[in-house]
Amino acid sequence: MRIGEIIRQYRTEHGLSLRAFASQSNISPSYVRKLEMDVENKSSITIPKISSIAKAMGLTPDELLAAMDDTTVDLRPEKNPLPANIIPVPEMKKVPMLGAVACGEPIYMDEVRGEYYPMDSSIHADFCLRAQGDSMTGARIYDGDIVFIQSSPVVENGQIAAVAIDDEATLKYFYQYGDTVVLRPANAKYEEMTYSREDLDHLRILGRAVAFQSAL
């Protein structure tokens, strides 16, 4: 099992957020996120970090190592470790701004050329959109927030998706039942948007929301 899978399973069983587990194990939240998202098992982990994670889980390093049958361990000592009170800034990347996406009625989407927003490089996002309106406040997405999108023509039921309707775009919970697509808001004052078979040619999934940056 990968170390990221072990951490995620532990957090789920103990009701811990990623940030809470990072604090408990004395490593950065960005590093914990990197381990959990490393589905292709490309990352290695050092013995000192294994010891910190094991201690946070109430295990010995040997017990944790025994469970890690699918993770590369870097046996080299860590060089110049940071003091405990200093957290390294996560590696960042720039994501292009595509335009605005409606949290309410669909709005026309313009590409904003040359505008980029920084985000943690461990999160896979291909572009971002600026939310407009209040239909997704129940999902903690407010007017003016920047929503980061992973491009995909298909999303799972219940995921928040950016969907283009002709030349307009909206951000909603996505559901598909046979030949019917339902776009569901996260604010009770808005109604669902339902599209049947004859409407689907006008509808295109841009991708799934993977992160947001609050405008507040």
Side-chain angles (χ1 to χ4, degrees):
M1 183 180 289
R2 295 183 297 104
I3 182 63
E5 293 176 292
I6 295 172
I7 293 172
R8 184 181 289 110
Q9 180 176 307
Y10 179 88
R11 289 200 303 105
T12 300
E13 291 175 352
H14 292 79
L16 290 174
S17 68
L18 186 147
R19 187 171 294 276
F21 179 83
S23 176
Q24 183 173 304
S25 56
N26 200 30
I27 57 179
S28 71
S30 62
Y31 187 76
V32 175
R33 185 183 296 110
K34 177 181 177 181
L35 292 175
E36 290 195 3
M37 297 184 68
D38 185 25
V39 295
E40 295 182 2
N41 195 33
K42 293 181 178 179
S43 297
S44 61
I45 184 170
T46 61
I47 291 296
K49 282 190 169 60
I50 288 173
S51 298
S52 296
I53 292 170
K55 183 177 180 180
M57 292 180 172
L59 302 173
T60 67
D62 286 343
E63 288 173 330
L64 182 55
L65 281 166
M68 291 165 42
D69 56 3
D70 195 21
T71 300
T72 302
V73 178
D74 187 347
L75 298 178
R76 296 172 296 178
E78 291 186 309
K79 296 180 180 180
N80 302 320
L82 287 172
N85 63 315
I86 297 178
I87 298 175
V89 175
E91 183 180 349
M92 306 296 285
K93 66 178 180 181
K94 291 183 177 180
V95 178
M97 168 66 70
L98 187 60
V101 62
C103 293
E105 294 300 317
I107 59 172
Y108 183 76
M109 182 176 58
D110 284 317
E111 184 176 355
V112 180
R113 299 184 184 279
E115 187 175 357
Y116 292 82
Y117 278 80
M119 73 170 302
D120 190 325
S121 62
S122 66
I123 300 174
H124 180 192
D126 300 295
F127 62 92
C128 58
L129 297 159
R130 182 179 288 104
Q132 291 187 5
D134 61 354
S135 75
M136 295 302 290
T137 55
R140 296 181 63 188
I141 298 174
Y142 294 88
D143 185 55
D145 286 354
I146 304 301
V147 183
F148 295 90
I149 306 293
Q150 182 182 97
S151 294
S152 175
V154 178
V155 297
E156 296 179 7
N157 278 1
Q159 291 185 325
I160 296 177
V163 180
I165 305 160
D166 292 325
D167 291 328
E168 301 178 329
T170 191
L171 189 73
K172 296 289 186 293
Y173 284 110
F174 179 91
Y175 296 89
Q176 183 162 10
Y177 309 101
D179 292 330
T180 301
V181 167
V182 177
L183 303 180
R184 185 170 299 165
N187 184 334
K189 78 177 187 179
Y190 290 91
E191 296 183 355
E192 294 180 345
M193 303 161 64
T194 302
Y195 298 88
S196 55
R197 177 185 298 179
E198 57 270 20
D199 302 317
L200 295 186
D201 288 340
H202 302 279
L203 188 144
R204 177 168 58 93
I205 299 170
L206 301 176
R208 65 179 65 87
V210 293
F212 77 96
Q213 178 179 309
S214 176
L216 300 178

